[in-house]
Amino acid sequence: MEQSREIRSFEFDQFPSATEFASQIESNNHPAVFKGIIKDWKAFSKWNPTEGGLDYLQEQLGSSIVEAMLSRTAPVFYGDLRSHERVPIPFSTFIGFCKQHKQKMDDGHPDYVESERHRQTESESESETERPSLLSGDALPQQLYLAQVPIMNAENEERVQLEALNDDIQTPAFLETKIIASINLWMNNAEAKSSTHYDPHHNLLCIVAGRKQVILWPPSASPMLYPLPIYGEASNHSAIALENPDFSIYPRAENSMEYSQKVILHAGDALFIPEGWFHQIDSDNLTVAVNFWWRSNIISSLSEHMDSYYLRRILRRLTDREMNQVLDKASSFGTERLKKHICELHNNKEPDQSDHGLDQSCKRQDLKEKGLQQKILLHELGPYPLQALHEIVSLVHDHVNVADLSQHMQSTSTTNSELTVKDQCRNIVATRLFRLEDDPIAKILWTLEPCILQDVFLSMAHNFPRTLEALILHLLSPVGAEVLTRKFDEMDRQASEEDRNKFYQVFYDAFDDQFAAMNAILNGKESFALQAFKNVLDKFLGVKL
């Protein structure tokens, strides 16, 4: 996952035109800050709480009923419907709370909110049956937040509660060509923190009064933020608690800040938050903001009959990336380090003659291709491939009793040998490893150059055919199958068609049932891809299978 680029910032004399915004900022789907862009709004002076703005707002909308967000987790307001309620209150009541808060602050009582919160905490220590309802009137003023109260809503005009404020604001010039979906008021009397979430629309957040701190993460940081399940009511929100994150439950979240950027917005500033970007917002006391939402061109141009196709393409792309990341972890571990580890183990040892004897009775007929025969003779192998061969053979023999396996296979038909052996040979380990670091065989295969791995397999096919058979049919893990197929792809790109055909003929001739060998590799590879797909659903959609 790449870290995001620096957020662009524009001053008053640098604001982009509608064309520049669309081509240079919006199309890149990257945040941007516009300093002082709304200072010419009427709202900038008329709504300011320190300059009589509360009286003005009460005069304009005092009798209006607005829907407020009510939560006992204040100052944190979580988007999950289970964590808050939407309650109708007179706008004048909320303005009264703002005036009360401002008066206390002006009188030099900055800690009064904390004392009130302490009183509420004591009240909450009562039993569940005695605890008052959020709607009983016992809630504290700071537990209310006017969040997303509509000033304009193109899809539902009846829901608009603050239409009278429309004359005090104006759409920034670079949005003049956009079809605005909604304009909303955000207002808090006490400090407030929003939960981490993303929006399905482009967003221009404008600060009319006060200050907001915004932390942003690109969509690629989704795995670090543990989004709630896609089928839930708050699927665009993170499951991580802001006040006390539990990294034992959400371990990836511990590194989430490495992919974030922080922006401080003052009165007059605006921030473009592209769709899909996670953001968490801290608002100072008596902060007033207005935001504009509009649909992106990408979403607007998506044809409905193509939805299933795009969904499959996106999920396949994320799955492929997840598979690559599992294997790329070996790079940080160090290929050279793994090679050194192989060479250090059993240093200067020759392959065990007893290992060789287990397969000697099962040798295939002599190979006709003289060139390949020279490569697969043990004394022709170089020190490193010989050591790798020894390590692989030793690992197989540590987990599978090849002698018993060989004897059993001789009494089993080739059509059902694999299933019968799996059922009856207790010494065979059915491994389901998906992480490269957990599979010693896959790690060895991963470190070998294609030409060296080819020599190792040719030697196994000639000298240890039953060991090769046991490896592929019974010890090849899902991650091992993925590694093996990738190595085969590299071999194919480097070899001529004739050499490729010769190699695969020798390789698969080592098996009594060639179809079973191919099937084992493909099943393992698909199993690895399935696990990667499950990881994608968990990381990006919050769905566990």
Side-chain angles (χ1 to χ4, degrees), residues 313-323 532 536 540:
R313 286 291 302 271
I314 291 170
L315 288 176
R316 181 70 246 189
R317 181 174 177 176
L318 290 173
T319 299
D320 289 342
R321 187 177 300 170
E322 177 70 17
M323 293 165 67
V536 165
F540 294 93

Side-chain angles (χ1 to χ4, degrees), residues 225-237:
L225 300 175
Y226 293 87
L228 291 169
I230 194 68
Y231 51 79
E233 292 294 329
S235 59
N236 62 322
H237 284 256

Side-chain angles (χ1 to χ4, degrees), residues 453-487:
L453 183 59
Q454 185 182 68
D455 290 349
V456 169
F457 277 145
L458 291 173
S459 296
M460 290 187 72
H462 182 67
N463 298 284
F464 310 108
R466 286 298 180 237
T467 303
L468 178 61
E469 194 166 44
L471 168 64
I472 299 301
L473 294 183
H474 307 293
L475 283 184
L476 191 65
S477 69
V479 67
E482 178 65 24
V483 168
L484 183 58
T485 54
R486 293 192 182 206
K487 291 296 180 179

Side-chain angles (χ1 to χ4, degrees), residues 185-400:
L185 176 74
W186 305 75
M187 188 172 179
N188 52 283
N189 63 314
E191 292 181 358
K193 300 169 71 73
S194 76
S195 57
T196 305
H197 67 285
Y198 65 87
D199 297 316
H201 292 78
H202 284 328
N203 181 9
L204 186 71
L205 177 63
C206 306
I207 312 303
V208 178
R211 188 185 74 154
K212 288 181 181 285
Q213 172 187 282
V214 185
I215 302 176
L216 296 141
W217 291 265
S220 57
S222 176
M224 305 289 184
L225 300 175
Y226 293 87
L228 291 169
I230 194 68
Y231 51 79
E233 292 294 329
S235 59
N236 62 322
H237 284 256
S238 168
I240 302 166
L242 291 180
E243 67 274 25
N244 186 27
D246 190 340
F247 297 132
S248 65
I249 299 177
Y250 307 110
R252 295 190 302 268
E254 196 164 6
N255 301 317
S256 64
M257 295 307 294
E258 296 178 14
Y259 303 94
S260 69
Q261 294 190 61
K262 183 186 297 184
V263 176
I264 304 295
L265 301 175
H266 299 275
D269 298 341
L271 170 66
F272 169 55
I273 306 175
E275 64 169 336
W277 277 70
F278 283 86
H279 49 283
Q280 188 273 312
I281 302 178
D282 290 2
S283 302
D284 285 357
N285 295 301
L286 296 173
T287 295
V288 185
V290 170
N291 89 296
F292 297 80
W293 268 324
W294 71 98
R295 296 183 71 185
S296 70
N297 292 332
I298 295 175
I299 295 297
S300 300
S301 61
L302 286 179
S303 299
E304 185 174 346
H305 73 279
M306 297 291 287
D307 287 349
S308 60
Y309 166 73
Y310 287 127
L311 176 61
R312 291 180 64 86
R313 286 291 302 271
I314 291 170
L315 288 176
R316 181 70 246 189
R317 181 174 177 176
L318 290 173
T319 299
D320 289 342
R321 187 177 300 170
E322 177 70 17
M323 293 165 67
N324 290 335
Q325 288 178 352
V326 171
L327 297 181
D328 285 345
K329 290 180 180 179
S331 299
S332 60
F333 188 56
T335 299
E336 291 302 320
R337 181 179 172 186
L338 285 173
K339 289 180 178 179
K340 182 179 179 181
H341 173 69
I342 293 172
C343 293
E344 286 176 348
L345 289 174
H346 307 287
N347 193 28
N348 296 325
K349 288 185 179 180
E350 293 295 328
D352 195 331
Q353 293 301 316
S354 62
D355 291 346
H356 186 274
L358 291 173
D359 285 276
Q360 196 65 273
S361 61
C362 304
K363 276 188 178 181
R364 300 295 186 267
Q365 62 180 357
D366 291 336
L367 299 172
K368 297 179 181 179
E369 294 82 3
K370 194 170 184 179
L372 287 177
Q373 185 178 14
Q374 290 177 346
K375 283 188 173 183
I376 63 176
L377 295 177
L378 292 178
H379 71 273
E380 294 289 340
L381 289 177
Y384 181 64
L386 186 63
Q387 186 64 48
L389 171 64
H390 173 70
E391 288 298 321
I392 293 174
V393 170
S394 297
L395 286 168
V396 174
H397 282 251
D398 284 344
H399 291 86
V400 178

Side-chain angles (χ1 to χ4, degrees), residues 480-499:
E482 178 65 24
V483 168
L484 183 58
T485 54
R486 293 192 182 206
K487 291 296 180 179
F488 281 169
D489 288 341
E490 292 181 33
M491 291 181 194
D492 292 347
R493 289 193 294 269
Q494 296 177 9
S496 65
E497 183 177 358
E498 181 181 2
D499 286 342

